[in-house]
Amino acid sequence: MASVVPYLFERLALPKPWAGHRLPELFPALAADFPPGTGESIELADLPGASPPVRSGAERGRTLRQLLAGQRQAILGTQSGSLLDFPLALKFIDTAQPLSIQVHPQDAFDPGGRLVSRGKTEGWLILDAAPGAVIYQGLKPGLDRGHFERALKAGMPQETMNAREVQRGDWLLNPAGMIHALGGGLALLEIQQNCGVTLRFFDWPELGRQARELQVEDAFKACDFTLRPAEAVRASRDEGVQTLQAPEFARFCGDQSSCSGDARCIGSPFGVQSLRLSRAARHVKEWPGFTVFTCLEGACELIVHGQGEIHTNELRPADTLLVPALFNDFEVYPRPGVWLVESYAL
């Protein structure tokens, strides 16, 4: 078996009927990676049919699932016995038109509290937004499921939803069970639980796109109409490390007064940090598992240390690097400056 090292993956560009054109403009050196019609670019995932292979090195061509088969403990660390599979997926999304109004399932547990199927909480970091671009999350204040059902039957469900105008640098968390839709005119980095289940209520038939299957009955079962979105966090342009998402950041119980505060009530099963660096910096992680670095601007040399191992990695715009759990000490050497996003599972 090859030694454990940080891994860069090939990206998997997927055509979508709502695709935009902003990713090639954000990452011009990689325009060929985002051919016309690309709506999603999967950077890291362990999903059937959507698991990019390792880009280079001794493990080149192997998927994340294949890596875990031989390196599970080294990659996941102390979480290796409790996780069903790799817990996160990262992708770039580029929209010219709105996505379907949809919902994702919540985590499911057995009677003993053990996770048996993963839901899909996700977060979005806005990289570019047309003037007035919005993300729909939850219902407007004072409205409930009945209002939404009537609007859905009338073909105007968006009229009941909370439209949040966004701009570059905004971070929004979307908990599993919350009704939502990405609007048009956006490019963003999505960090999500590693789950491929999407349940659609509505897909904007007035836009003339090819009809896609709706799962209205199952979507209603999965949706918690009492959920309200947390406030957006703006990524700072100042030097340093900023927490965009922490596990204790927000709770999404429908009834706050009865929230037990256990793991099933926590809004985010992952953490996200923004690193803006123009000079060399050392960064020591505070969690036991793996770390994922995504480079959004600039470039850097990233040196990782752990258990006597040292590895040097070059990161350029749009690169996503998976650093196994055994590495916990990072040195960043920007050239000339760099914007990194660091994500990890909890």
Side-chain angles (χ1 to χ4, degrees):
M1 182 183 71
S3 62
V4 178
V5 300
Y7 298 106
L8 282 169
F9 292 82
E10 301 282 359
R11 59 179 45 90
L12 181 60
L14 301 179
K16 296 292 180 179
W18 37 259
H21 53 77
R22 295 174 184 273
L23 287 177
E25 297 170 0
L26 284 169
F27 306 115
L30 300 173
D33 287 3
F34 309 115
T38 298
E40 289 186 359
S41 177
I42 299 178
E43 307 298 306
L44 177 67
D46 181 18
L47 296 169
S51 185
V54 175
R55 184 188 302 180
S56 60
E59 302 288 1
R60 181 179 179 181
R62 293 173 66 82
T63 65
L64 189 48
R65 179 69 56 92
Q66 291 169 328
L67 288 179
L68 289 176
Q71 304 177 7
R72 186 177 182 85
Q73 178 69 34
I75 292 175
L76 298 178
T78 57
Q79 301 169 309
S80 62
S82 60
L83 296 177
L84 301 173
D85 49 20
F86 193 78
L88 291 186
L90 283 82
K91 63 181 73 169
F92 291 113
I93 295 179
D94 187 345
T95 75
Q97 297 179 350
L99 277 64
S100 62
I101 294 176
Q102 59 187 240
V103 68
H104 304 301
Q106 301 183 46
D107 291 344
F109 299 84
D110 66 19
R114 183 179 179 83
L115 182 68
V116 293
S117 67
R118 182 177 289 115
K120 184 179 174 182
T121 288
E122 58 198 344
W124 304 301
L125 180 60
I126 308 302
L127 304 180
D128 193 21
V134 301
I135 290 179
Y136 298 92
Q137 280 190 288
L139 298 182
K140 292 177 179 177
L143 302 188
D144 58 22
R145 171 175 171 157
H147 293 92
F148 178 80
E149 285 191 83
R150 290 189 290 274
L152 181 62
K153 290 178 181 178
M156 298 183 296
Q158 71 276 17
E159 297 299 322
T160 66
M161 296 180 66
N162 182 31
R164 312 181 72 184
E165 191 167 330
V166 295
Q167 56 184 289
R168 178 174 169 82
D170 285 349
W171 166 263
L172 291 82
L173 183 69
N174 192 75
M178 177 178 282
I179 189 170
H180 64 279
L182 297 178
L186 296 171
L188 55 90
L189 172 66
E190 178 175 279
I191 301 171
Q192 60 164 87
Q193 286 182 283
N194 192 59
C195 169
V197 179
T198 295
L199 304 171
R200 300 187 187 96
F201 285 104
F202 181 79
D203 201 24
W204 312 90
E206 67 272 24
L207 296 178
R209 302 192 299 228
Q210 182 176 352
R212 295 188 292 173
E213 183 180 359
L214 303 179
Q215 301 84 22
V216 176
E217 183 177 351
D218 288 338
F220 271 114
K221 291 177 182 177
C223 193
D224 183 348
F225 288 96
T226 67
L227 294 177
R228 297 292 182 265
E231 292 185 10
V233 178
R234 177 67 51 79
S236 173
R237 297 192 64 85
D238 295 337
E239 181 91 3
V241 179
Q242 176 191 8
T243 297
L244 298 180
Q245 186 65 57
E248 67 277 14
F249 177 78
R251 297 184 186 277
F252 293 92
C253 296
D255 181 0
Q256 292 287 341
S257 64
S258 64
C259 180
S260 64
D262 67 18
R264 297 175 226 186
C265 293
I266 293 177
S268 175
F270 50 79
V272 181
Q273 297 193 125
S274 172
L275 288 73
R276 291 271 192 179
L277 302 171
S278 60
R279 55 184 181 271
R282 182 185 177 197
H283 181 52
V284 180
K285 73 179 186 184
E286 299 175 351
W287 48 90
F290 63 86
T291 307
V292 178
F293 287 95
T294 302
C295 182
L296 298 178
E297 288 180 4
C300 71
E301 182 179 76
L302 177 67
I303 302 176
V304 301
H305 303 254
Q307 297 185 11
E309 296 275 342
I310 301 176
H311 293 277
T312 300
N313 311 270
E314 297 286 335
L315 289 181
R316 296 178 175 84
D319 279 348
T320 290
L321 182 75
L322 169 61
V323 181
L326 65 86
F327 301 103
N328 55 17
D329 193 340
F330 313 127
E331 297 175 60
V332 183
Y333 295 91
R335 294 195 305 271
V338 69
W339 183 17
L340 298 174
V341 168
E342 181 181 53
S343 51
Y344 55 95
L346 302 168

